Amino acid sequence: MTSHSNQSRALSFDAVATQYAAARPGYPAALFDAMEELAGLALAGADVLDCGAGTGIATRLLGERGARVVALEPGAGMAEELRRAAPEVPLVRGEGNRLPFAGGSFDVITYAQAWHWTDPARSVPEALRVLRPHGVLALWWNQADVRVDWVAAEENRLAPFTRGFPTTVAELFAPFPVRAAAREITWSRRITVEEHIRNLGTHSHFVVMDPVERAELLDANRTALARRFPDGELDEPYRCGLTVVRPATAQA
């Protein structure tokens, strides 16, 4: 991780691990289809390391695609939720800057909503060390789709408390001997306003906020959304940015 403060913020999720497991969105099947296409390999039967696995949202979906998944998670609270949800998945405590695995151990390394907590100068060489020659590194983020009017309005209300992530990080890999390809998948889920508020409350910028300030901000947002969606439900839209990275020496 890039700094002590960044590490502390990354581990702040432990305080909301149960809420995180219940409120955070999953990922669409189209994401994993795109990953297989860009990687040129099937997840079924692949040895996959899911880094920053959190409560196991992506871990379980990778397993459902037939992958043999090992979860890597630094936080005690998040790891506890993962063990509860997926006790059959091997779980190792650790983080991406120092992978506690032998070289050539995995076909795929994934980071779902987690790559930004690493230091690429350390995590990229570690991924390349642990990957097999044909292997790939796959990173992705769900990002609220601000092209939708109500999402843009919400972003304006919550700024400067929110932070976004790029839909692609391919340019960050330019210093390394790799090739990167990117894809964006748009999708949405139907949830209640209250479920949406609980999701927002699991994001690190809210987790580390003063509790009174956080409650006031989220309450104001809840009131605005209740006016916009009087039936209490909404479609929560996402742009899921996927980047797949392979060693430059690997065959396409």
Side-chain angles (χ1 to χ4, degrees):
M1 298 180 183
T2 56
S3 68
H4 175 73
S5 61
N6 199 41
Q7 184 176 28
S8 297
R9 186 159 170 167
L11 295 176
S12 69
F13 296 112
D14 285 335
V16 293
T18 300
Q19 182 176 336
Y20 191 110
R24 281 291 184 109
Y27 304 99
L31 168 70
F32 300 101
D33 293 340
M35 187 192 313
E36 291 181 323
E37 179 186 341
L38 293 177
L41 58 82
L43 286 168
D47 291 313
V48 177
L49 174 63
D50 188 25
C51 293
T55 63
I57 294 171
T59 309
R60 296 192 302 274
L61 292 171
L62 288 162
E64 289 172 7
R65 298 285 294 217
R68 295 187 293 266
V69 188
V70 174
L72 183 74
E73 170 55 37
M78 299 289 267
E80 183 178 350
E81 286 294 327
L82 194 156
R83 287 192 184 98
R84 182 178 298 117
E88 74 285 357
V89 174
L91 172 60
V92 177
R93 297 289 300 283
E95 43 96 0
N97 292 334
R98 294 190 305 273
L99 294 174
F101 301 98
S105 295
F106 295 97
D107 302 303
V108 181
I109 296 175
T110 60
Y111 282 84
Q113 312 288 136
W115 177 255
H116 54 284
W117 299 119
T118 76
D119 174 5
R122 300 166 65 191
S123 56
V124 174
E126 276 292 271
L128 294 177
R129 178 184 67 81
V130 171
L131 283 172
R132 291 168 182 156
H134 63 276
V136 299
L137 169 65
L139 330 167
W140 65 89
W141 287 267
N142 276 325
Q143 174 125 305
D145 192 343
V146 296
R147 297 171 299 185
V148 177
D149 289 347
W150 76 262
V151 178
E154 179 180 73
E155 290 281 308
N156 289 334
R157 280 194 301 274
L158 298 180
F161 303 101
T162 58
R163 64 179 280 194
F165 303 110
T167 53
T168 174
V169 293
E171 65 276 6
L172 298 180
F173 289 91
F176 303 100
V178 299
R179 298 193 302 272
R183 186 75 55 85
E184 181 179 278
I185 297 93
T186 58
W187 72 287
S188 66
R189 62 173 184 166
R190 185 75 174 174
I191 59 172
T192 67
V193 168
E194 190 58 36
E195 287 168 335
H196 176 70
I197 295 296
R198 286 178 59 78
N199 175 22
L200 290 177
T202 67
H203 289 254
S204 63
H205 39 271
F206 291 116
V207 175
V208 301
M209 190 181 292
D210 174 79
V212 173
E213 184 180 14
R214 177 176 63 240
E216 290 176 349
L217 192 64
L218 293 178
D219 283 347
N221 192 52
R222 180 186 290 106
T223 299
L225 291 176
R227 287 196 297 265
R228 182 70 178 261
F229 302 103
D231 65 351
E233 292 189 344
L234 54 80
D235 287 312
E236 192 178 66
Y238 287 101
R239 302 171 71 178
C240 189
L242 166 68
T243 302
V244 173
V245 181
R246 67 174 67 245
T249 55
Q251 293 184 350

